[in-house]
Amino acid sequence: MLEILGILALLAAVAAAGVFLYFRHLFDDPAARRVPSVAGALGAKRVLTVFAHPDDEQLINGLLTSAKAEGAYLAMVTATPGDAGTQSPIVCRQSELGIIRKAEALKNGFALGIDEQEVWDYPDGGVPDIPVDELVARVADAMKRYRPDLVVAFWPASGATGHKDHMRMGLVAEQAIERLKAEGGSTPRFVAYPLIPRRSLLKLGRRTGKFVAENQPLPTHSTPGNTASKIRGWQIHAAQADFVAKAYKMPTRLLYAIWNKEFYAVRDLETGQWKN
């Protein structure tokens, strides 16, 4: 009897390991160049992120924390306070969600080592309704103040998740750089677009995942994702703490044990080419 139980336990362990490796395969992309730090690989000393919502920075913990460890200056712009989000779990009155999530964004930014941070008050879900010129002017002004050599922003055609606010802020970041170039001012050298692994999108993302996978560039770089920082970040973003677990139908720690890398498509603005 004990022998049979031992065999069954061994088979269960083998099956669990197989499932784990299968899902890790979905969240990997061997085509990307492995680097310990994206900013370090590019020689970037000043990094500016341009995002739409509180918690968007959770996609890039590894990039930010590795850059900070190397002494880089970090700045972050978040366009909305996330006031229209679905609470997971419910932590406050819905009418006060924007206040709570703005505070969470600032707190997580501090934990990540962000030197300067702005959370704007555009309506969550309504960024595409704001005049583009207004947004471009504000982002261009932020770039003038923070003088980044690396900008991290969403790919305009897919926004990493298909969210329209993400896509619009990605477009705004691109146009802000073009405006600075036209003015003859200092411009960033690189733009890095955070990506969700294509195989995971196609297998787990349903219609939205298919849209994102088909409309995002191929990754050029991957870097360790800093699992501890991501888990801490979701604890700080208390109004969204269960979001990842519900979205991927697995515990947060297990997800990041599987999805343990970050992927980026990096464009060299000096040459106009993707950076290898």
Side-chain angles (χ1 to χ4, degrees), residues 147-163:
R147 298 175 288 109
D149 39 25
L150 168 62
V151 168
V152 185
F154 292 118
W155 179 247
S158 60
T161 67
H163 197 298

Side-chain angles (χ1 to χ4, degrees), residues 18-35:
V19 171
F20 180 85
L21 291 174
Y22 169 73
F23 276 98
R24 177 163 285 188
H25 163 79
L26 293 181
F27 284 92
D28 199 0
D29 193 324
R33 175 188 170 199
R34 305 285 200 255
V35 296

Side-chain angles (χ1 to χ4, degrees), residues 6-271:
I7 292 172
L8 291 175
L10 177 60
L11 291 174
V14 170
V19 171
F20 180 85
L21 291 174
Y22 169 73
F23 276 98
R24 177 163 285 188
H25 163 79
L26 293 181
F27 284 92
D28 199 0
D29 193 324
R33 175 188 170 199
R34 305 285 200 255
V35 296
S37 165
V38 173
L42 301 174
K45 300 299 183 183
R46 300 181 68 84
V47 180
L48 170 65
T49 72
V50 179
F51 287 140
H53 310 110
D55 78 25
D56 287 347
E57 77 280 358
Q58 284 288 94
L59 279 171
I60 66 166
N61 298 55
L63 183 151
L64 291 172
T65 55
S66 61
K68 190 65 180 178
E70 295 168 341
Y73 166 91
L74 306 178
M76 181 182 296
V77 166
T78 304
T80 84
D83 50 293
T86 300
Q87 298 184 57
S88 180
I90 296 174
V91 300
C92 65
R93 289 174 286 270
Q94 187 68 24
S95 61
E96 297 170 351
L97 182 60
I99 300 170
I100 298 299
R101 293 193 70 195
K102 178 176 180 177
E104 291 171 349
L106 293 170
K107 184 177 180 181
N108 197 39
F110 177 78
L112 288 166
I114 304 298
D115 294 286
E116 297 190 67
Q117 188 171 357
E118 304 176 21
V119 181
W120 297 344
D121 293 319
Y122 291 109
D124 183 5
V127 176
D129 299 325
I130 305 301
V132 172
D133 282 349
E134 177 182 337
L135 293 168
V136 169
R138 289 194 71 176
V139 172
D141 185 59
M143 290 180 181
K144 289 177 183 177
R145 290 196 308 277
Y146 300 131
R147 298 175 288 109
D149 39 25
L150 168 62
V151 168
V152 185
F154 292 118
W155 179 247
S158 60
T161 67
H163 197 298
K164 291 182 179 179
D165 284 355
H166 292 190
M167 295 162 71
R168 179 51 57 95
M169 288 307 296
L171 176 65
V172 165
E174 302 273 287
Q175 292 189 2
I177 292 169
E178 291 302 315
R179 175 173 294 194
L180 293 178
K181 188 184 298 184
E183 292 174 354
S186 176
T187 59
R189 171 69 187 273
F190 303 102
V191 180
Y193 307 97
L195 308 174
I196 294 176
R198 177 180 172 83
R199 288 185 294 218
S200 72
L201 289 167
L202 293 173
K203 191 67 177 180
L204 307 173
R206 300 183 180 179
R207 180 180 299 177
T208 299
K210 185 174 185 293
F211 166 80
V212 173
E214 292 177 349
N215 287 278
Q216 70 179 16
L218 296 175
T220 59
H221 295 71
S222 74
T223 194
N226 196 337
T227 295
S229 175
K230 289 181 188 291
I231 292 171
R232 179 189 63 194
W234 288 119
Q235 292 169 344
I236 292 171
H237 285 289
Q240 301 290 297
D242 296 338
F243 171 77
V244 167
K246 288 184 176 180
Y248 289 93
K249 297 180 174 59
M250 66 179 74
T252 304
R253 287 183 182 275
L254 176 58
L255 174 65
Y256 288 129
I258 294 168
W259 185 4
N260 64 343
K261 301 182 185 73
E262 295 173 359
F263 295 89
Y264 298 89
V266 178
R267 190 157 58 94
D268 186 333
L269 298 177
E270 190 172 276
T271 66

